[in-house]
Amino acid sequence: MSKKPDAPASGARRRIVQGALALPALTAAPWVLRYAHAQGDLGAYQSAKVDWRQAQGEQITVAVIPAGYFDALIAVTPEFEALTGIKVRYEKVPPGQIRQKAILDLSSKGTTYATHAADPMYYDLYVSNKWVEPIDKYLGDAKLTDAAWYKPDDMIPAWRGANSVKGRLYGVPFDGESTLQIYRKDLYDAKGLKPAETLDDVMKNAKAVHDPDSRVWGAALRGFKGAGQNMYIYPSIFRALGGEWFRGGSFNGNSKEAVAALEWYVELLSKYAPPAVRNWNWPDLADAFSQGTLGLYIDANTSASVLNNAERSKVLGKIGYARWPKGPSGKRVSSIWNWGFPINAALSDKAKRATWLFISWATSAETQARTSWKAKGPVKRLGLNRLSLWESKDFATLAGGLGSNFLQASIDSMRQDLDVEWRPRMPQWPAVGETMATAIQAALVGQQKPKEALDEAQGRIAQILKS
Amino acid sequence: MTNPRKGERRFALALFLPALLLLVATTTLPLVYLLWTSVQRIDLSMPWLTGFAGLANYAQLGGDARFWSSLGLTFIYTATTVVLQVVVGLALALLVMQVRVGQGLLRIAAILPIVLAPVVAGLFWRSLVLAPDFGVMDFLTRALGLGSYNWLGDPQLALLSVIAIHTWQWTPFAFLVLLASLAALPPDIYEAARLDRAGPWQRFWHITLPMLRPAIVIVVILRMVTALSAFAAIFAATGGGPGTATEILNLYAYRLSFTELNLGYGAAVATVLLVITLTVSFGLFALRRGR
């Protein structure tokens, strides 16, 4: 009994003392927490010798496509806002429309988008209209870039090359891919097959595993019409067969290599792919492969995350990866696809600086890591823009579970197979790409013979280019 | 002394002006801008060529095979869909006239496709009806032992498919208009015909059809204009493909302007389509007035 009366009193005193301490702490908490948070999280950026707050108060709008890798960026953007005092608004535009929307904005000198996720094939168009700023201006300015911290040369060289016009960089790669063979290791192993080394092997392997009666088709490729669909696959075949897009300065789309490439494409799809493949883009291919109905398809290495979705994939643990098969000259040609960020030339100087700070933040090694293995959300990006990150231990842990040989095939491919001249780089690309895509589809569906389709496309492109 | 009539006219003008200005701003100005664009060389992918082109864009049409094939497709598409709509719509209307119970329900059901946005109709057909393996159509043809087809992937089938989509969506319009006109036909003429021993076919050919004529002409005009300006359903279902198998003039103009960025030439193609639509409509109206 003697202890008991004491207990509440001391308890009450303790509560009061705690309360007294807690009160200022509580009122200060948001500031303290934010400060602590900022200290912990932003240190990696603040070690750069750049005044991150030089454009504070600016607001910029960034157009991106609805995709996991941009969601990961959006998720960490509050850190950028805390670091710089620049407000970022994102606008998600479907991939089919982002080019048109960006062109509309750029050509009307509107400044709706300070930067946008840009297609590497569009820089020639942008630059010939002077719609975007050369990036070297920003890279070379010590007030804006601490080169020792940012390490621009660490970014995948072919992506930088693809985003350059006449040697000057116009868009900084944020996320990209290389193209790989994605095959069913279990089916290949059962038949004693090795992943294809050459284009001929692709045909042989497809034949060996082709069994439509049990709903397995030998191989499939993007068949849908579009510059980013069938005209994504075709250039790799064309280049592997030794094709050159230009001869004597003029477009050359119906050479014998071009016809051979299209014939190979048509043969593979008509013999070994499901009939609907001519309407398929990469998500359809990924679905079909996840359902176990494809022996092989050749597509972006970043599809690996979709194929390993445990809820939807029936091929977990059965996936293998290999580089694009070689052509007769031994050349393997991967796409140089990447989403880059250019700077809208119509912006005010301060907004340009704010945009550059955003771009350099988003494409820095630190943010790349924070949107990949360090990401807190469900999406952990794969398409990182720096080889040093691809070769890091942390990334290897993340990529280890994606299937056999994923990491090595990706790294080899990015080191050796990326081809800057993969597609014809020219300001007229939108029309040229579209015309080629239409011709390829006409051949794929049997409306025209490959040579006939390409001759017609060549004639039309010659007409388009006529000045 | 102010003239009261003058004041009234002024008041009328004041009431009328906002609507007129709005109309000018939203329809006339863009039209003038289109015509102006069509005589310029504006190709965003070759900005160094920008300038006045006169009739060069129109001259270029002559040698553009894709334009001619697209024009041909436009005619096939328009003629087929309009004929189908009128024939099927009239047949349905005649049939439904015989239905005594539940006619109201049938009318409501008929409105449903019309209220769908064409882009929705296109996507609906593309993903649910015409998809190989999973679509309703493939299910039917396989059940009937006719095999599986790639409805939107084969050039001929794709054209048939987009014609079917348009017909499906707009036949109810023809049906409803013709049904209303049928219901308004005076019954005494039919009684007289029956007394004169006219058979059903004679009654249809010599009475119903001539009396429905004004309604049919109106339906044809309206349907033709819709068919000539069709865009969204085809764009959603095939995107003009495969190849260029369903690329009617509208889609070609769109592709030229917004994919290939050749705004001047795209405007010229759009102007040609505009002239065709106007000519056809005026011609049909004249025909209607003529009788």
Side-chain angles (χ1 to χ4, degrees):
Chain A
M1 280 300 285
S2 65
K3 282 178 192 167
K4 273 206 168 167
D6 259 343
S10 70
R13 189 162 61 235
R14 205 178 298 138
R15 270 200 296 278
I16 289 162
V17 172
Q18 275 174 346
L21 282 175
L23 199 67
L26 210 70
T27 50
W31 184 82
V32 169
L33 278 180
R34 189 165 167 183
Y35 185 71
H37 184 77
Q39 281 290 301
D41 271 344
L42 301 181
Y45 299 105
Q46 281 156 345
S47 67
K49 292 187 183 64
V50 163
D51 174 14
W52 286 104
R53 301 200 74 87
Q54 58 184 297
Q56 65 178 316
E58 275 295 315
Q59 174 168 349
I60 60 172
T61 301
V62 179
V64 295
I65 63 162
Y69 38 85
F70 284 120
D71 288 338
L73 180 68
I74 294 170
V76 295
T77 299
E79 295 175 9
F80 171 76
E81 294 179 331
L83 175 71
T84 60
I86 297 165
K87 191 110 189 61
V88 183
R89 198 177 72 81
Y90 287 96
E91 195 174 308
K92 288 190 187 175
V93 185
Q97 290 147 36
I98 195 164
R99 297 166 184 81
Q100 285 174 11
K101 279 212 158 189
I103 288 172
L104 198 66
D105 185 42
L106 292 169
S107 64
S108 62
K109 309 266 182 255
T111 48
T112 313
Y113 305 131
T115 182
H116 66 275
D119 179 335
M121 294 306 295
Y122 276 60
Y123 291 110
D124 277 283
L125 170 69
Y126 291 176
V127 172
S128 63
N129 284 287
K130 300 192 177 67
W131 287 338
V132 295
E133 292 269 294
I135 299 286
D136 48 12
K137 239 164 65 179
Y138 299 82
L139 280 175
D141 186 339
K143 284 197 203 109
L144 290 165
T145 310
D146 175 0
W149 177 83
Y150 183 57
K151 299 193 182 72
D153 295 337
D154 183 29
M155 279 187 263
I156 295 172
W159 290 359
R160 279 184 285 134
N163 298 3
S164 299
V165 176
K166 297 198 177 88
R168 290 183 95 177
L169 185 67
Y170 285 90
V172 187
F174 167 73
D175 190 282
E177 64 198 32
S178 70
T179 337
L180 295 182
Q181 298 184 60
I182 303 171
Y183 66 96
R184 282 284 297 283
K185 196 164 183 333
D186 57 329
L187 295 181
Y188 274 44
D189 286 350
K191 302 247 177 205
L193 300 172
K194 286 209 166 58
E197 273 293 303
T198 65
L199 290 173
D200 292 341
D201 291 348
V202 172
M203 211 65 87
K204 282 182 207 146
N205 283 353
K207 189 174 180 193
V209 297
H210 189 56
D211 184 9
D213 292 335
S214 30
R215 297 192 65 75
V216 175
W217 281 267
L221 300 168
R222 297 185 189 185
F224 193 61
K225 175 172 90 168
Q229 283 81 37
N230 55 18
M231 196 50 192
Y232 169 94
I233 289 295
Y234 175 76
S236 288
I237 313 170
F238 170 74
R239 295 282 292 160
L241 289 176
E244 294 287 343
W245 290 114
F246 299 96
R247 182 187 288 153
S250 50
F251 184 79
N252 179 30
N254 60 345
S255 58
K256 69 177 197 304
E257 294 87 1
V259 176
L262 189 50
E263 282 169 350
W264 185 87
Y265 197 172
V266 170
E267 185 186 349
L268 186 75
L269 292 198
S270 51
K271 280 191 181 160
Y272 305 117
V277 75
R278 293 161 186 91
N279 287 327
W280 282 3
N281 191 10
W282 69 266
D284 312 284
L285 288 165
D287 273 349
F289 189 85
S290 297
Q291 292 306 307
T293 58
L294 295 179
L296 162 83
Y297 80 111
I298 304 181
D299 218 287
N301 59 347
T302 46
S303 320
S305 54
V306 182
L307 303 176
N308 282 284
N309 180 338
E311 284 166 24
R312 298 182 58 191
S313 181
K314 294 183 182 164
V315 293
L316 289 178
K318 302 175 181 169
I319 314 171
Y321 304 85
R323 288 158 70 186
W324 244 108
K326 284 185 235 175
S329 63
K331 191 162 157 183
R332 304 174 194 264
V333 182
S334 159
S335 92
I336 42 75
W337 178 262
N338 71 84
W339 286 114
F341 286 129
I343 300 177
N344 185 338
L347 295 173
S348 72
D349 276 345
K350 191 177 173 199
K352 280 178 190 168
R353 271 184 284 136
T355 308
W356 169 248
L357 290 175
F358 168 77
I359 294 173
S360 61
W361 165 80
T363 55
S364 67
E366 182 59 25
T367 306
Q368 292 281 312
R370 286 184 190 196
T371 49
S372 181
W373 66 84
K374 288 187 188 169
K376 292 180 188 74
V379 186
K380 306 201 186 303
R381 281 178 54 214
L382 292 178
L384 306 187
N385 67 359
R386 289 154 187 270
L387 279 168
S388 64
L389 297 173
W390 274 90
E391 286 165 346
S392 71
K393 269 205 195 100
D394 294 304
F395 190 72
T397 317
L398 175 69
L402 295 172
S404 165
N405 198 31
F406 171 79
L407 195 60
Q408 200 53 50
S410 295
I411 290 173
D412 289 347
S413 165
M414 280 192 286
R415 279 203 181 283
Q416 299 168 47
D417 306 344
L418 301 186
D419 176 5
V420 174
E421 303 304 328
W422 169 58
R423 298 199 285 200
R425 284 147 48 86
M426 57 209 294
Q428 299 91 345
W429 161 256
V432 171
E434 180 67 23
T435 308
M436 289 299 292
T438 304
I440 293 164
Q441 196 189 37
L444 288 178
V445 301
Q447 194 182 10
Q448 284 178 310
K449 294 255 171 286
K451 172 139 181 41
E452 198 188 336
L454 291 174
D455 284 346
E456 196 181 306
Q458 174 70 24
R460 193 170 146 66
I461 290 169
Q463 193 192 359
I464 290 170
L465 301 182
K466 201 166 62 184
S467 43
Chain B
M1 277 275 290
T2 52
N3 184 346
R5 278 194 64 129
K6 214 172 172 186
E8 203 165 291
R9 218 183 282 154
R10 242 183 238 151
F11 181 62
L13 195 69
L15 285 181
F16 167 67
L17 212 56
L20 180 74
L21 287 179
L22 194 72
L23 215 61
V24 167
T26 55
T27 62
T28 316
L29 286 184
L31 211 62
V32 171
Y33 188 66
L34 176 80
L35 294 175
W36 183 81
T37 309
S38 77
V39 292
Q40 307 282 324
R41 172 100 202 209
I42 307 178
D43 186 342
L44 294 182
S45 69
M46 290 184 272
W48 54 89
L49 297 176
T50 301
F52 185 73
L55 295 176
N57 286 328
Y58 292 96
Q60 200 188 331
L61 289 172
D64 182 354
R66 199 157 152 191
F67 165 74
W68 292 107
S69 86
S70 178
L71 187 65
L73 277 177
T74 305
F75 279 116
I76 295 173
Y77 180 79
T78 307
T80 333
T81 52
V82 171
V83 169
L84 279 174
Q85 286 174 71
V86 172
V87 171
V88 178
L90 183 58
L92 280 176
L94 289 168
L95 192 71
V96 168
M97 275 301 281
Q98 312 300 318
V99 178
R100 306 248 175 264
V101 187
Q103 225 191 67
L105 271 182
L106 285 174
R107 274 183 223 199
I108 293 173
I111 292 180
L112 289 179
I114 302 180
V115 298
L116 273 185
V119 63
V120 176
L123 285 174
F124 162 74
W125 277 70
R126 178 198 166 112
S127 49
L128 295 176
V129 183
L130 297 173
D133 292 337
F134 310 106
V136 177
M137 193 58 101
D138 226 36
F139 176 76
L140 280 178
T141 53
R142 272 184 297 160
L144 292 172
L146 297 172
S148 167
Y149 294 95
N150 192 359
W151 296 100
L152 295 172
D154 174 274
Q156 270 97 42
L157 288 178
L159 184 58
L160 283 182
S161 299
V162 294
I163 288 173
I165 296 172
H166 191 90
T167 309
W168 170 83
Q169 181 162 34
W170 295 109
T171 296
F173 179 89
F175 160 73
L176 288 174
V177 173
L178 297 174
L179 184 66
S181 314
L182 272 179
L185 294 186
D188 41 357
I189 299 182
Y190 286 95
E191 269 168 40
R194 238 179 249 123
L195 289 177
D196 290 339
R197 303 212 179 155
W201 179 251
Q202 284 173 314
R203 269 178 279 151
F204 172 72
W205 193 253
H206 294 289
I207 302 175
T208 312
L209 217 48
M211 290 180 78
L212 279 183
R213 204 190 130 84
I216 292 178
V217 173
I218 277 293
V219 167
V220 168
I221 293 174
L222 290 174
R223 295 300 81 219
M224 212 156 213
V225 173
T226 312
L228 283 169
S229 61
F231 179 80
I234 302 184
F235 188 71
T238 66
T244 52
T246 57
E247 191 180 71
I248 60 169
L249 222 41
N250 241 337
L251 270 96
Y252 184 47
Y254 168 83
R255 210 164 282 291
L256 281 172
S257 298
F258 299 108
T259 308
E260 304 192 354
L261 304 174
N262 192 347
L263 300 177
Y265 190 49
V269 172
T271 307
V272 169
L273 183 63
L274 177 74
V275 170
I276 293 173
T277 312
L278 286 178
T279 314
V280 167
S281 318
F282 277 124
L284 283 168
F285 268 116
L287 200 70
R288 182 161 174 266
R289 250 183 264 120
R291 301 272 174 140

